Amino acid sequence: MLDATTRSGGTATASPRATAAELAVAVPPATTVSPAVPTHFAARCTRVLLSPWSRLSLLVVLLAAGACGVLMFEPQRLLTEGWPPQLSGAAAAAVFTVAYGVCTVAFVPRPLLNLAAGALFGSQLGLGVALTGTVLGAGIAFCLGRALGQDALRPLLRGRWLKAADGQLSRHGFRSMLMVRLFPGVPFWAANYCASVSRMGLLPFLLATGLGSIPNTAAYAVAGARASTPTSPAFLIAMACIALPALAGVVVAWRKRHQLRRL
């Protein structure tokens, strides 16, 4: 068998083995096309969905859905119709606590819920249920606002009032929130979401909410429990405890009005 040329100097002839090797080298291997376009599209969709404004839109949708659900449920019927007879004891207290927290996130006024807690469970148990629901609702609102709204809303804090409130909550969070809870005037839900946008920590926020809400919550719980006897000393004292902090808040705001105008 001849290799490349005949030994006699004849015509060059390629062997079958050499031809196969040359073809194997000459033909490039097939390349696989990477799915770059779908990958880039998925990454772009992920960035859009996780953007600050998308999360803020989700927060608005959740709060609107919660408010609509509360309007359909009509929690004020608890004061007139009472608690469903299927629930009683610890189960009723646990369900009411969770419902209390969810309702506060959905902008239901706390005085109404505190009155219902006192009317349904009495002064002592009603106070415990209402306080637990208060801390639970505040924690839910704070976490929702921190996770879904802080990144989008912090760049908008350009007004003097907003900057002053943000600075006060960020530097003196516990003390400021404690005063807000003790003296009524700022809506419960507004204080929750303002604190979530600031740099205040969750633990100081919950502690200040729990401690600062005790006097007002206790007064409403006693008033709800004694609502059937409006001339009783307990009911009158409870109403006084509700009115005095409100009056003190008005006086403090009046005395600080010049400072507020300069903000």
Side-chain angles (χ1 to χ4, degrees):
M1 183 176 180
L2 299 178
D3 294 333
T5 58
T6 59
R7 294 185 182 276
S8 59
T11 306
T13 305
S15 65
R17 186 176 301 173
T19 304
E22 291 175 359
L23 291 175
V25 173
V27 178
T31 58
T32 57
V33 180
S34 61
V37 175
T39 302
H40 290 316
F41 179 75
R44 189 178 304 173
C45 291
T46 302
R47 285 196 300 267
V48 171
L49 292 176
L50 297 179
S51 64
W53 287 104
S54 296
R55 286 180 286 159
L56 180 61
S57 301
L58 177 60
L59 176 61
V60 173
V61 171
L62 290 176
L63 295 180
C68 293
V70 167
L71 290 177
M72 295 176 61
F73 177 69
E74 297 180 356
Q76 64 272 13
R77 291 184 302 174
L78 293 175
L79 293 175
T80 57
E81 300 177 6
W83 191 254
Q86 295 83 3
L87 293 174
S88 61
V95 172
F96 185 87
T97 300
V98 175
Y100 187 113
V102 174
C103 287
T104 56
V105 176
F107 313 117
V108 176
R110 283 185 61 250
L112 176 64
L113 298 173
N114 293 334
L115 289 173
L120 294 174
F121 301 104
S123 301
Q124 297 180 358
L125 182 58
L127 172 60
V129 167
L131 278 178
T132 306
T134 296
V135 176
L136 176 64
I140 294 174
F142 185 92
C143 292
L144 285 176
R146 179 62 57 87
L148 300 178
Q150 187 186 43
D151 293 339
L153 294 178
R154 280 204 65 82
L156 303 179
L157 299 177
R158 298 174 182 174
R160 288 178 295 178
W161 281 59
L162 295 177
K163 285 185 177 180
D166 175 64
Q168 188 69 20
L169 289 173
S170 299
R171 291 190 301 268
H172 312 288
F174 178 81
R175 182 179 64 188
S176 301
M177 188 54 58
L178 184 63
M179 297 301 294
V180 168
R181 300 307 192 193
L182 285 173
F183 296 100
V186 179
F188 184 75
W189 60 269
N192 294 338
Y193 292 113
C194 286
S196 68
V197 175
S198 71
R199 294 187 175 88
M200 183 179 183
L202 176 61
L203 183 58
F205 171 77
L206 294 179
L207 289 175
T209 297
L211 293 176
S213 300
I214 291 176
N216 186 264
T217 305
Y220 275 102
V222 172
R226 303 288 182 172
S228 58
T229 56
T231 58
S232 63
F235 181 84
L236 295 177
I237 293 174
M239 295 304 297
C241 292
I242 294 173
L244 288 178
L247 180 61
V250 172
V251 172
V252 170
W254 176 260
R255 296 183 61 180
K256 299 291 184 181
R257 67 187 186 280
H258 299 295
Q259 297 181 6
L260 294 175
R261 288 175 183 175
R262 288 195 297 267
L263 293 177

